[in-house]
Amino acid sequence: MRVVVQQEPFDFGAQADGFARGRQDSGAIVTFTGIVRDVDGGLQQMEIEHYAGMTEKALEAIANEAVTRWSLDDALVIHRHGVLKTGDMIMMVATAARHRKDAFEAAEFLMDFLKSRAPFWKREVTADNVGWVDARGEDEDALKRW
Amino acid sequence: MRVVVQQEPFDFGAQADGFARGRQDSGAIVTFTGIVRDVDGGLQQMEIEHYAGMTEKALEAIANEAVTRWSLDDALVIHRHGVLKTGDMIMMVATAARHRKDAFEAAEFLMDFLKSRAPFWKREVTADNVGWVDARGEDEDALKRW
Amino acid sequence: MDVLYFAWVRERIGVPRETVDSSAVTVSDLVKELSAREERYAMAFSDLSALRVAVDQELSDFDATLDGVREIAFFPPMTGG
Amino acid sequence: MDVLYFAWVRERIGVPRETVDSSAVTVSDLVKELSAREERYAMAFSDLSALRVAVDQELSDFDATLDGVREIAFFPPMTGG
């Protein structure tokens, strides 16, 4: 299991390939990647603030919970902070399991908790507006299914 | 949307990266990769037979159905046939959507249908046995949720 | 009409593909006709619940009619992915 | 005790972190104490339902006691991923 919090871009292809390669017992690998989307008015940049002392601990707790609840052979979480542009990759998770059901469910669980329980805050800057992204009610609701 | 059926290995990292890179409107990318697992007795090789005339059409129909049922910006399906070894990647799907729920559900839908409705048959060769892989009841059951 | 066989159906029947002259109306009729011809067909078709059929390269069922059909395929449940 | 603020809570209060001397028993007590001190705190803490709190770097709630606590953080609902 590996959790990485960093300002620098990460190489999604290399990370995904490195995570999947050489496994003998995991039949199923799922990855999720979050990308900065453009917004109405044209996104100039997205700024991601985080709680440096807490972020890794929170992500590790979420990943540990996933490994406890599903039959996972491995899990990976990478999350960036700092200034990002449209099309930049914000984060990724990857899960490896014997069967696809565990790999899919654990990846969705990681995403649901990472959205609402890891200390990151997004701010969007457009030509005529700067604003913190509001938490979506459906993200909070998504936690209830687990 | 792209569907590829081939005997040659594919480069998962490059395919995943190429699929995700440069998107401006898709916030969520999900990939699934299937890997040849070892079996009791030690897998010497896995042979995947397919129905050449029908395979691409069947996969395209499944991918089209996914694009119709979810808000997808893009979908990718790659499936190999021929002789594979333990640890080789058999196939991958990728989905791109505005939000993660669509990307996850569509990827699971693609996998569920591809397992039981695309004309591939796996045969496992171990030191003392050669046998066709049985379809799993739970794979057929998985179709019912869609 | 071309008849194709895959996986263990192919192994039991012994050929991957053959051309069959038949006046069968439905897939079921064709199965009965072939099964009556030779033991290897009867063996392959002994449990239809374990078989799937494609008509002109689309999944179909044993009640499908063969009118105008050019290609029919028999195989076990698929195991892709 | 160190008190940290993130996102718009930080912007309203004007500092990312400060050391606070307080005899507050719970997080709620601390919020009331700070809100009484200056308008910028009252503004930031005006709607507690829009706020989350972490105590010693773990998510907690406003009823949590502050006995032995070294670090407390206030922030809006998280928006990672």
Side-chain angles (χ1 to χ4, degrees):
Chain A
M1 204 192 78
R2 195 159 65 94
V3 166
V4 183
V5 180
Q6 65 183 34
Q7 190 159 352
E8 305 72 44
F10 59 90
D11 183 336
F12 169 56
Q15 291 291 343
D17 192 69
F19 184 82
R21 187 165 298 280
R23 298 198 178 275
Q24 306 280 304
D25 298 311
S26 304
I29 309 287
V30 170
T31 74
F32 177 92
T33 318
I35 294 180
V36 180
R37 271 193 297 122
D38 205 1
V39 298
D40 290 342
L43 187 73
Q44 292 187 337
Q45 64 182 38
M46 171 178 278
E47 300 159 10
I48 302 181
E49 184 171 331
H50 79 126
Y51 183 172
M54 178 177 163
T55 315
E56 274 186 45
K57 273 192 277 186
L59 292 175
E60 274 163 17
I62 294 167
N64 276 324
E65 176 80 8
V67 170
T68 303
R69 291 179 59 169
W70 285 274
S71 287
L72 291 191
D73 299 319
D74 203 359
L76 166 68
V77 178
I78 302 176
H79 205 302
R80 294 183 63 193
H81 57 89
V83 176
L84 287 83
K85 304 284 187 189
T86 302
D88 284 355
M89 292 179 189
I90 304 171
M91 48 71 61
M92 71 173 286
V93 303
T95 55
R98 201 171 164 85
H99 296 297
R100 72 187 185 285
K101 188 167 186 292
D102 286 308
F104 269 120
E105 283 190 6
E108 289 178 72
F109 170 89
L110 285 173
M111 286 308 305
D112 284 347
F113 274 80
L114 191 149
K115 280 263 170 193
S116 307
R117 292 293 181 271
F120 292 100
W121 300 273
K122 293 192 186 116
R123 198 162 79 139
E124 289 172 345
V125 181
T126 63
D128 44 30
N129 197 39
V130 177
W132 293 97
V133 172
D134 282 327
R136 302 192 308 164
E138 63 191 278
D139 283 335
E140 192 62 31
D141 291 345
L143 300 184
K144 290 175 191 156
R145 66 168 163 151
W146 303 116
Chain B
M1 204 193 79
R2 196 160 65 93
V3 166
V4 182
V5 179
Q6 65 183 33
Q7 189 159 351
E8 305 72 46
F10 59 91
D11 184 335
F12 169 56
Q15 291 291 343
D17 192 70
F19 184 82
R21 187 166 298 280
R23 299 200 176 274
Q24 307 279 303
D25 298 311
S26 304
I29 309 288
V30 170
T31 73
F32 177 92
T33 317
I35 295 180
V36 180
R37 272 193 297 122
D38 204 0
V39 297
D40 290 342
L43 188 73
Q44 292 187 337
Q45 62 182 39
M46 170 178 278
E47 300 160 10
I48 303 180
E49 182 169 335
H50 78 125
Y51 183 173
M54 177 177 163
T55 314
E56 274 187 43
K57 273 192 278 187
L59 292 176
E60 274 164 17
I62 294 167
N64 276 323
E65 176 80 8
V67 169
T68 304
R69 292 178 59 166
W70 285 274
S71 287
L72 291 191
D73 300 319
D74 202 0
L76 167 68
V77 178
I78 302 176
H79 205 301
R80 295 183 63 194
H81 57 89
V83 176
L84 287 84
K85 303 284 186 187
T86 303
D88 284 354
M89 292 178 189
I90 304 172
M91 48 72 60
M92 70 173 286
V93 305
T95 55
R98 202 171 163 82
H99 296 298
R100 72 186 185 287
K101 189 167 185 293
D102 286 306
F104 268 120
E105 283 190 7
E108 289 177 72
F109 171 90
L110 285 173
M111 285 309 304
D112 284 348
F113 275 79
L114 192 148
K115 279 262 168 194
S116 309
R117 292 292 181 270
F120 292 99
W121 300 273
K122 293 191 186 115
R123 197 162 79 138
E124 289 171 346
V125 181
T126 63
D128 43 31
N129 196 39
V130 177
W132 293 97
V133 173
D134 282 327
R136 300 192 309 162
E138 62 191 279
D139 283 334
E140 191 63 32
D141 291 344
L143 300 184
K144 291 175 190 156
R145 65 171 165 150
W146 305 115
Chain C
M1 174 166 53
D2 288 328
V3 185
L4 283 67
Y5 311 105
F6 292 95
W8 57 255
V9 182
R10 171 179 55 72
E11 291 178 334
R12 288 193 195 173
I13 289 174
V15 293
R17 160 194 287 265
E18 60 188 330
T19 303
V20 171
D21 279 323
S22 165
S23 53
V25 176
T26 66
V27 175
S28 283
D29 294 339
L30 177 64
V31 165
K32 279 179 207 140
E33 197 180 303
L34 290 169
S35 297
R37 280 194 200 175
E38 284 183 53
E39 181 60 18
R40 58 194 170 106
Y41 293 103
M43 288 278 287
F45 293 131
S46 62
D47 178 10
L48 291 191
S49 74
L51 287 189
R52 302 289 179 270
V53 61
V55 170
D56 282 341
Q57 307 185 347
E58 295 217 3
L59 287 175
S60 186
D61 55 59
F62 289 87
D63 296 332
T65 58
L66 297 180
D67 190 31
V69 165
R70 290 159 309 170
E71 184 172 306
I72 181 160
F74 295 100
F75 41 78
M78 292 149 278
T79 54
Chain D
M1 174 167 50
D2 288 328
V3 184
L4 282 67
Y5 311 105
F6 293 95
W8 58 254
V9 182
R10 171 179 55 71
E11 291 177 333
R12 286 192 197 174
I13 289 175
V15 294
R17 163 193 285 266
E18 61 188 330
T19 302
V20 171
D21 279 322
S22 165
S23 54
V25 175
T26 66
V27 175
S28 284
D29 295 338
L30 177 64
V31 165
K32 280 178 207 142
E33 198 179 301
L34 290 168
S35 296
R37 279 193 201 175
E38 285 183 54
E39 182 60 18
R40 58 195 171 104
Y41 293 102
M43 289 277 287
F45 293 129
S46 62
D47 178 9
L48 291 190
S49 75
L51 287 189
R52 301 291 179 269
V53 60
V55 171
D56 282 341
Q57 308 186 345
E58 295 218 3
L59 287 174
S60 185
D61 54 62
F62 290 89
D63 296 332
T65 57
L66 297 180
D67 190 31
V69 166
R70 291 158 309 171
E71 183 173 306
I72 181 160
F74 296 101
F75 40 79
M78 293 149 276
T79 55

